[in-house]
Amino acid sequence: MAGYGWDEYDVRNGGRQTIHDAGNMIDITTEFVKFPGGEHGGSWGVRVKGTPREDAPAHLMSTVIFYAAMEGFGALEVENEPEILGFEGDVRLKGQSHELGDFKIHITAGPDTNQHPPATHDSYGTKPLDRTMVASFQVPEESLWQTKPLLFNHMKAEIDQYISEYGDKDSPPPWQTFTIANDVQEGNLHLVQKVFDGAFEFDIIYSSSSAPQPITSEDVSETVESVTKSFADRFSKTLAPQAPFNKPKFQTFARSMFSNLVGGIGFFYGDAVVDRSYAPEYDEENEGFWQETAEARGRGRFALEGPYSLYTSIPSRPFFPRGFLWDEGFHLLPVADWDMDLTLDIVKSWFNLIDDDGWIGREQILGPEARSKVPQEFQVQYPHYANPPTLFLIFEALIDKLHNPSPIDKNDPLEYIRSAHIQNPELAISYLQALYPLLKRHYFWYRSTQWGDIKSYDREAFSTKEAYRWRGRTPQHILTSGLDDYPRPQPPHPGELHVDLISWMGLMTRSLRRIAEFISETDDAREFQGYETAILRNIDDLHWDSKAKTYCDATIDDYEESVHVCHKGYISIFPFLTGLLPPDSPRLGAILDLISDPEELWSDYGIRSLSKNDAFYGTEEDYWRSPIWMNMNYLAVKSLLDVAQSPSSPHAKRAAKIYTSLRKNLVENVFNEWEKTGFAWEQYNPETGAGQRTQHFTGWTSLVVKIMRMPDLSGGQRKEEL
């Protein structure tokens, strides 16, 4: 596979997706467009086109299978009169359900230019390939997601029949052999297969009966053209790359990265596996607690809960097709620039998952299909485990936009929907007031479950309450932190304090304080201001190491004394990454030294996750022990820009220089790897820049679009917001 994904996509209109199938020597394009209207969500159309690649033979045979299934109450059937040899012309399905009303799906024959394999074998007489085959099945609802193995089992029966009839020596050609039976019956699942010779094109058209009129192929052609134009126009106004990336190749790259991010937004539904045993071992209060928690987990006191529903984006369609709490805030940052209304719908969906205590599961593995992609030991969610609260990045972005709204395009009727909460502050106030009790519940759940111990170890700090420790710790990992194998104090100790978590709590507190101020919750705002001040003071008191000149985790040594354990890397700069250091902070110079030192964090491709000088650099799993991650680098670029644009910072010029170089390194490397491999990647090698781990990782790696949109400071100018 030479690459695949959306070239352009807007969730409200549609877009174009291309699959570069080098192995089968064909490029397949799907153009998806929406037609609003009616009482059931409107209609849609998909144009499917296949174009043989340059190395394809003169006669390239390709087969395409489309299927439609009906879950729950409703009906779906083939409307055509039965044809024993297959269907000439369009295949027509009709159906109805409570949610969709009555509808029809037409799979068209396509233009006359379509060619089909010729008759070269006797089997062609009973299954001519210039016709469309349809096979129907009645499948248990809980098994509909397993259509692919059902298809292969069905196709194997057809292959076995050919072998039985013709033997090995006179078997049909592959394009004849690998076909479904033409067997139309009543059922809730219908497979539709077409076989082509060379280039091809056909449409799949869904028409809602409550829409003003049925959709035709001519409508699809016209709308595809208008959707492409509207996407290009809007992207140029909203997310177009700024210098030095204002070149056509970077614009194509940016459109693709953003489109694959929003193209991964989906609706997920199903039950979840949760351990609500509340075993006392899960409090992790004793030395050696990780062994006790492992034993408690091994007792397997978990159960299915739900069903739940979630509207979310995802890190990677093929590899991580589900919602991740700590990823989602990063995902939504570019989406918020494009469509704030959509973004707020997704945020609300996440907070609708909150339980009575304030917990939201960090990984949303909903239903058997989702669980089939996850090893069993990682399926269970634990209500005492947290995750970085990145959704509060979106509340900060919302309030920033409310204080400084951008003008809207009055020629785009959808613009009033996309920016409704920005253009109408009273709507934003209503939205925030509705969510506010859930946000507070979530916040105080963090404070009550992830607290760190100050008093027991006579630690000196401004506040005796503002310290935090991730639960879910093992000697090798803190998966709950999101930074998995990043080096931490050894062995784990219940007296540990984690600088990344107190930084997230600072960001969360600041966000809630700003929300409270905006919705006139004056007493709450004053309360959050007190927490915020204490957190900022304690970050320095508990985590700054004056000898190492960096922020560090803390633990308890053999003499029951609190000591710092310093592994320079992302952890060391977390107060800076989360925007908690003022631009005139006395710690800022040392932070900039660490970021810009090639022997520490700096590389030609981005900021390393761990210092090159650390003993654990590049060791064992090497997941967060050297690679470059785009989400952390985005936070670094944004924070550098904030300092560079601060008129009061003594570090402004230096920050601008580092910002300019880091922005250039990140964008050029992600682009070069995308151009070379056809994919965005989960992380990037700090020595070579090569993309690694998961390919087609179009979640937070798409933050490169935000970075390209940031201003060019190479000339020293200070203007434009993120």
Side-chain angles (χ1 to χ4, degrees), residues 700-714:
W700 63 37
T701 301
S702 298
L703 285 166
V704 70
V705 176
K706 286 277 288 181
I707 295 173
M708 284 190 280
R709 180 64 176 169
M710 292 178 184
D712 176 21
L713 298 188
S714 58

Side-chain angles (χ1 to χ4, degrees), residues 257-272:
M257 291 294 293
F258 174 75
S259 296
N260 282 285
L261 172 64
V262 296
I265 293 173
F267 178 82
F268 299 84
Y269 180 84
D271 49 21

Side-chain angles (χ1 to χ4, degrees), residues 115-242:
Q115 299 294 315
H116 304 277
T120 58
H121 190 272
D122 291 346
S123 59
Y124 196 95
T126 56
K127 194 188 287 185
L129 300 184
D130 59 352
R131 299 192 179 205
T132 302
M133 283 81 66
V134 179
S136 305
F137 304 87
Q138 185 65 43
V139 181
E141 183 179 345
E142 65 271 14
S143 300
L144 279 172
W145 66 271
Q146 296 175 303
T147 296
K148 185 177 178 180
L150 182 149
L151 164 65
F152 287 164
N153 286 335
H154 169 77
M155 194 174 281
K156 184 179 183 301
E158 292 295 295
I159 294 169
D160 290 343
Q161 185 174 330
Y162 278 135
I163 293 173
S164 174
E165 185 172 354
Y166 297 104
D168 293 338
K169 294 183 179 180
D170 188 31
S171 59
W175 49 88
Q176 183 82 50
T177 301
F178 293 96
T179 52
I180 63 176
N182 188 63
D183 183 20
V184 176
Q185 304 178 43
E186 291 186 357
N188 60 352
L189 171 66
H190 304 279
L191 304 175
V192 181
Q193 183 177 24
K194 294 175 177 289
V195 185
F196 298 101
D197 179 353
F200 63 84
E201 177 184 314
F202 66 96
D203 295 337
I204 302 164
I205 299 174
Y206 172 95
S207 292
S208 171
S209 294
S210 66
Q213 58 193 23
I215 305 304
T216 66
S217 287
E218 289 73 23
D219 296 326
V220 173
S221 297
E222 181 179 331
T223 307
V224 162
E225 185 176 342
S226 66
V227 164
T228 294
K229 183 179 184 305
S230 67
F231 179 86
D233 290 346
R234 177 163 175 74
F235 198 89
S236 67
K237 297 170 185 175
T238 308
L239 290 171
Q242 302 300 298

Side-chain angles (χ1 to χ4, degrees), residues 94 104 119 152 268 272 337 367 369 389 399 430 444 475 494 540 578 581 589 645 653 669 682 687 722:
K94 66 177 182 180
K104 293 189 176 183
F152 287 164
F268 299 84
D337 291 340
E369 182 176 7
I399 293 173
S430 177
F444 285 106
D540 272 1
T578 46
L581 293 188
Q645 294 183 320
K653 288 186 178 179
N669 187 62
E682 183 179 9
E687 309 304 328
L722 291 178

Side-chain angles (χ1 to χ4, degrees), residues 558-623:
D558 293 339
Y559 303 99
E560 293 295 300
E561 297 290 334
S562 181
V563 295
H564 289 140
V565 177
C566 302
H567 293 284
K568 293 181 179 179
Y570 290 161
I571 292 292
S572 313
I573 60 174
F574 238 89
F576 174 70
L577 297 178
T578 46
L580 300 180
L581 293 188
D584 58 352
S585 167
R587 316 299 189 201
L588 191 53
I591 295 290
L592 297 182
D593 288 343
L594 180 60
I595 288 173
S596 60
D597 187 345
E599 295 304 312
E600 300 279 11
L601 303 189
W602 188 265
S603 83
D604 291 339
Y605 313 104
I607 295 174
R608 298 179 171 96
S609 45
L610 188 64
S611 168
K612 196 173 182 178
N613 284 328
D614 194 277
F616 291 96
Y617 181 78
T619 59
E620 298 184 18
E621 293 174 45
D622 193 21
Y623 199 43

Side-chain angles (χ1 to χ4, degrees), residues 334-394:
V335 182
D337 291 340
W338 181 267
D339 194 323
M340 181 58 82
D341 181 78
L342 167 68
T343 302
L344 296 180
D345 273 352
I346 292 173
V347 170
K348 182 179 179 181
S349 182
W350 271 95
F351 277 97
N352 283 341
L353 294 171
I354 200 167
D355 73 2
D356 291 341
D357 296 322
W359 171 73
I360 299 174
R362 65 190 188 90
E363 190 170 346
Q364 295 298 316
I365 311 167
L366 304 182
E369 182 176 7
R371 287 193 287 275
S372 72
K373 302 279 287 184
V374 182
Q376 188 170 2
E377 63 268 27
F378 297 117
Q379 293 179 11
V380 182
Q381 301 297 297
Y382 297 89
H384 55 287
Y385 286 173
N387 224 198
T390 62
L391 290 174
F392 285 83
L393 293 169
I394 304 306

